[in-house]
Amino acid sequence: MIADDPHLELRLAASERDLLAAQRLRYAVFVEELGGDGDLVDHARRLERDEFDDLCDHLLLIDRRRDAGALEDVVGVYRLLPGERAARAGRFYCDSEYDLDPLRASGRRVLELGRSCVHPDYRGGAAVFLLWSGLADYALAQRTELLFGVASFHGTDIEALAQPLSCLHAFHLAPEELRVRARSDSGQRMDLIPPERIDRRAAMLAMPPLIKAYLRLGGVVGEGAWIDRAFNTTDVCLLMDTARMSARHRDFYARRTVSAE
């Protein structure tokens, strides 16, 4: 799939080199930029990796002008884990942070999204839109009904995050039948400020772009945040039910469905 920019290509990883380039970008963002770490992170080779990488598909945004031999050509990435594949493996990545029983009990086709990141030089442009466009195509091909995954606030200072976390809990909480809950070992309540005292403008300004993108598409959140000290983040579980999208985006999704069939 070729984006409008002739130098950009959007496709799934097709080789070990592609995966290494994705892991190199993830290292630059999650480790070097945000201060994260993990048991399988390879600091010597500058690769951010974990045990789920071999289970997943990896959606890549590639700039052909950059050095592929040096693993510098991947400028955006999304890691995708279909429910059927997770069932064979015995778990999703998010299982370590959230009780996902409501999603399993729904009987619907699910897709876990993770490790989303964009090179700093490509933020604020078309990169996120292109990745979402590719994600929509992938979800349609999988006939996905529920998309979910953790998205992160940088840092673990809950007081500093009280406004956006409280806003998510008060105004964007998932319906009870789909409401996953943060596990108690590192879980954190999000209803920190009464709804009438939430400054919604300040809260939205404090939201990372990825979370705002989910909310614009009709996304909702699970109950509670999860403190990931290894990655120095505060995570929320975002869910998007394709049947509950806003009218505008539901129509867009439906048009893509018709064109894909």
Side-chain angles (χ1 to χ4, degrees), residues 106-160:
S106 72
R108 302 175 70 188
R109 296 180 66 86
V110 300
L111 174 66
E112 183 181 44
L113 316 177
R115 290 299 197 272
S116 172
C117 61
V118 174
H119 188 286
D121 293 348
Y122 295 77
R123 295 172 193 167
V128 172
F129 173 81
L130 292 171
L131 285 169
W132 272 91
S133 177
L135 174 60
D137 287 336
Y138 183 93
L140 286 166
Q142 297 284 329
R143 299 192 179 276
T144 301
E145 298 171 272
L146 295 172
L147 311 175
F148 76 98
V150 294
S152 303
F153 291 88
H154 182 48
T156 59
D157 183 347
I158 296 304
E159 184 176 346

Side-chain angles (χ1 to χ4, degrees), residues 69-137:
L71 305 180
E72 295 177 353
D73 56 328
V74 172
V75 298
V77 65
Y78 237 124
R79 191 171 75 177
L80 312 171
L81 180 56
E84 296 87 348
R85 213 176 295 174
R88 292 196 296 269
R91 60 185 290 253
F92 289 100
Y93 174 86
C94 290
D95 272 307
S96 62
E97 301 186 10
Y98 283 83
D99 178 356
L100 302 179
D101 284 351
L103 301 187
R104 291 187 172 94
S106 72
R108 302 175 70 188
R109 296 180 66 86
V110 300
L111 174 66
E112 183 181 44
L113 316 177
R115 290 299 197 272
S116 172
C117 61
V118 174
H119 188 286
D121 293 348
Y122 295 77
R123 295 172 193 167
V128 172
F129 173 81
L130 292 171
L131 285 169
W132 272 91
S133 177
L135 174 60
D137 287 336

Side-chain angles (χ1 to χ4, degrees), residues 186-204:
S186 294
Q188 164 66 50
R189 294 178 65 94
M190 296 199 301
D191 53 342
L192 305 172
I193 300 173
E196 64 275 10
R197 290 176 47 206
I198 295 171
D199 182 338
R200 296 184 70 168
R201 183 176 183 277
M204 292 305 295

Side-chain angles (χ1 to χ4, degrees), residues 140 216-218 240-258:
L140 286 166
R216 282 193 291 269
L217 287 168
M240 190 163 61
D241 183 341
T242 58
R244 294 172 62 90
M245 288 181 179
S246 65
R248 174 187 171 191
H249 291 98
R250 186 173 61 246
D251 290 345
F252 170 75
Y253 191 89
R255 287 197 300 272
R256 297 184 76 91
T257 302
V258 170

